[in-house]
Structure formats: structure tokens, C-alpha cells
Amino acid sequence: MRRERRIWDKYLKKFTSRLEGRLLEPLKKIIIEKEAETISQIFGKLETAGIIGEDFRKMLVDIMAYTIFDRFYWKLRSLDEDPVAEFKRFKSTITNIDDYLDGDLIYYALKDECKDMGKINRVTIERIISTLNYTAEIAKRIRRPTLIEVAKNFRSYVMFNVSKDMPEKLYVRKAGYFGLLTSTLIRDVESALESLRLSIIALPFGEQQVANNYLYILGKILKIWNIKVESNLKPALEPGIAEVLLSLGLTDKKLENMDYTSAQYLAYLRIAETLFPEDPTKIMVLRRVAEEWCYAGEWKRCGECWLNSSCPKEY
């Protein structure tokens, strides 16, 4: 309770004021209206990337690779690189699920086929490779494409294999997530999603943004489980969204600590859950706003933005 109060006092005073003054209703309306277009745009990116219509197991690994590339979205954009085009270069070499088990081949695809992803440091590349290796191993064990089956396979493999293989220094950083994963038993949709989320975060290159985007794509964009999961999905926080939140006057300061258990991520989650309790991922419309108008270039293009009429432009 004390931590919750500190989160609201430190990051959400402006949000509380605007909420109590009913100043956020126009913003909510626009976000709801623009969500379908946002989902269609993301689906189009996945289609261009060559992910749609694949074998289920291969798709599980491809989407992991895609969300890892998306983690570098703003870095690639700053280099005038199209992240989807970069992913397609990677996929020109990695063509089947067994390729994801070949660390040398993944290294070649990143270093020689990609234009800019290969410039990231060696330690990061090694963590990406091992994350994709592990995901491929897990995917090959899955027999039925149900949420419970996927979550159980991820949880089991991460707890009993990844934890043993992980270098000690990295394990120390991830230990808290392994602990949470151990205590999260899979009983229903909510616990299955949380277990899957924690399993991904516990991977060498796993983190909040990767895990939440992974589940958002599988559960909401592609609807692969054919069950209603929206109320149990959590939106990803990344730099572009943090910028838009600040401009909209929804946070008192820019959210920079994006770890899943951080106070700043929880502040973001409270905004999303308060505005859209039945589906917090509606707030992912702000990512599209960041890409198109608010964070993509040197200058904000407010006059063209969907949210222009509802934005106080506080930053």
C-alpha cells in the first residue's frame, strides 16, 4: 500500500488531477477510435516481415526475434533504417526453426546480413543468440498450440534449463524473476500469461518490453489462442510511449526505468488500467503516435497528430 501511494505521489499527480477534472475523456475517445487502425498497421508490419501464416512453432520463435528487433526500434530509426527491413535481412538467412538452434548462423545473420543490428556489442549479441536458441528449443517441445501448453513449456524449460546455463553475473540480475516464476503456478488464463511473461523476462535478453510485446502480438494482434485475453495483457513501456505520456501531461516526469517490477513501469500500468480497465493494451495507440508524430524526428509534428486537440503539449 505504501509503495502504491508513493507511485501515485511521485509520478501521477498530474494524471490524478486531469482524471478528477474529467479532462481525459476526449483522449480516451480518440484512443478507442484509433485502436483498430493501430492494430491493422502492426499486422501489416508482421505480414511484411513474413511472419503471418507460418507453422505455429516457427511463428513462436520468429515473433520472439521480431520483438527483439523491435527493442532496437528507435536506435534503428535514428540511423535512418527501417526496422522491418532489417528484420527481413536477418530472416533471409534464418529460414526455419532449426536455424535458430545454430548460434553461428544467427551471429552471421546479425553481423553480415543486417546493416545496423550487427553493430551492437558482442555481449548483447550473445544474449540475443542464446534467447533465440532457448525459444527454439521450447517451441520444438510444444505439442498443442494452446496458451496453457505454451506457458507450461516456457516455464518448465526456463526454470530447469535456462537457470542452470545462465552465467552467474546475469543470473544474479535475473534472480528475482526466477523467484517470481517459481511462485506463479499455472491455473488459468491470467496465471498462464503471467508465467509466460516472467519466463520471457528471465531469458538472457528478456525484458519487460520484449515480453509484453510478444504477448500483445500473439494474444491480441494475431489472436492465435482464440480466447479472450485482453484484460490480462499488459502494455509494453518503451521510450516513445514515455515521451508521449509526458507530452500529454499523464506523468509528472519522464518514465525511464522500464523494468517490469520498477515503480515507473507500475505507474504506466496504473495509467493504462485506470483509463482502459477491460483492455489496458489500448494505450499502445501511443506507440503509433510516437512513431508518426511525437518521437520519430527532431521536431514534434503536433498539427498532424491524432491527439493534437487533447494534448496540453507539456513537453
Side-chain angles (χ1 to χ4, degrees):
M1 182 62 72
R2 290 181 179 178
R3 190 188 190 205
E4 188 73 17
R5 182 174 297 174
R6 285 198 298 270
I7 288 170
W8 284 86
D9 288 345
K10 188 172 183 179
Y11 301 106
L12 301 176
K13 287 181 179 178
K14 289 182 180 180
F15 175 71
T16 302
S17 176
R18 292 174 64 78
L19 187 67
E20 291 175 347
R22 298 188 64 80
L23 299 177
L24 298 179
E25 294 305 312
L27 175 65
K28 287 174 59 179
K29 183 179 179 181
I30 296 170
I31 288 174
I32 290 169
E33 289 174 350
K34 296 298 184 181
E35 188 191 24
E37 187 174 335
T38 299
I39 290 173
S40 177
Q41 184 231 17
I42 297 170
F43 187 89
K45 286 183 177 182
L46 295 171
E47 204 166 33
T48 301
I51 292 174
I52 306 300
E54 293 188 322
D55 169 76
F56 177 77
R57 296 176 186 83
K58 182 172 180 290
M59 184 171 65
L60 288 178
V61 195
D62 277 347
I63 292 174
M64 182 64 75
Y66 182 88
T67 56
I68 288 173
F69 270 66
D70 188 72
R71 167 64 176 75
F72 296 92
Y73 181 90
W74 297 110
K75 180 178 179 63
L76 292 171
R77 282 285 297 266
S78 72
L79 297 170
D80 292 324
E81 184 54 71
D82 176 8
V84 174
E86 189 79 326
F87 178 78
K88 288 182 70 176
R89 294 185 193 103
F90 172 79
K91 286 292 295 164
S92 68
T93 296
I94 307 300
T95 60
N96 60 68
I97 194 168
D98 289 325
D99 288 343
Y100 281 109
L101 298 172
D102 187 335
D104 291 337
L105 189 62
I106 296 174
Y107 183 81
Y108 165 77
L110 287 169
K111 294 293 289 185
D112 293 340
E113 294 296 327
C114 295
K115 287 186 177 180
D116 292 297
M117 281 292 288
K119 297 175 184 177
I120 57 182
N121 66 67
R122 178 63 185 255
V123 171
T124 300
I125 287 179
E126 288 175 351
R127 290 177 182 173
I128 291 172
I129 291 171
S130 57
T131 295
L132 294 176
N133 287 164
Y134 289 139
T135 305
E137 290 281 6
I138 295 167
K140 288 173 74 73
R141 295 166 183 242
I142 294 171
R143 295 292 171 260
R144 294 178 298 126
T146 65
L147 171 59
I148 299 297
E149 173 85 0
V150 172
K152 284 183 175 180
N153 275 276
F154 264 89
R155 182 177 186 270
S156 175
Y157 192 90
V158 169
M159 285 177 59
F160 297 110
N161 295 84
V162 176
S163 62
K164 295 176 182 177
D165 295 342
M166 189 171 283
E168 183 178 358
K169 186 176 181 180
L170 182 57
Y171 180 81
V172 169
R173 287 179 50 199
K174 300 276 187 176
Y177 293 113
F178 282 108
L180 289 171
L181 182 59
T182 301
S183 63
T184 304
L185 302 179
I186 299 172
R187 298 191 179 93
D188 51 23
V189 169
E190 182 178 5
S191 58
L193 286 169
E194 183 64 6
S195 175
L196 187 47
R197 184 180 293 111
L198 291 169
S199 297
I200 295 169
I201 294 174
L203 292 170
F205 194 75
E207 55 185 55
Q208 172 274 133
Q209 182 181 338
V210 172
N212 281 323
N213 272 335
Y214 188 77
L215 297 180
Y216 177 65
I217 290 172
L218 288 174
K220 185 163 182 177
I221 304 300
L222 301 182
K223 298 185 183 296
I224 64 167
W225 291 305
N226 199 29
I227 56 176
K228 190 171 180 59
V229 298
E230 285 83 355
S231 62
N232 298 124
L233 293 176
K234 295 181 180 180
L237 176 62
E238 49 86 62
I241 291 177
E243 179 85 8
V244 178
L245 290 169
L246 192 64
S247 291
L248 288 169
L250 300 184
T251 55
D252 300 343
K253 58 184 70 176
K254 190 168 184 178
L255 305 180
E256 296 179 329
N257 185 346
M258 299 182 189
D259 289 345
Y260 182 54
T261 56
S262 71
Q264 295 192 28
Y265 177 73
L266 292 176
Y268 168 59
L269 194 57
R270 296 298 175 266
I271 293 171
E273 291 174 337
T274 302
L275 294 178
F276 308 107
E278 295 182 358
D279 181 5
T281 63
K282 287 185 184 296
I283 206 165
M284 292 297 290
V285 168
L286 301 190
R287 167 66 183 266
R288 177 78 189 281
V289 171
E291 290 179 12
E292 298 292 338
W293 306 290
C294 200
Y295 195 62
E298 294 183 12
W299 306 99
K300 298 177 187 290
R301 295 186 291 123
C302 299
E304 304 169 34
C305 179
W306 285 342
L307 307 181
N308 185 41
S309 62
S310 299
C311 182
K313 304 171 183 62
E314 295 203 1
Y315 179 73

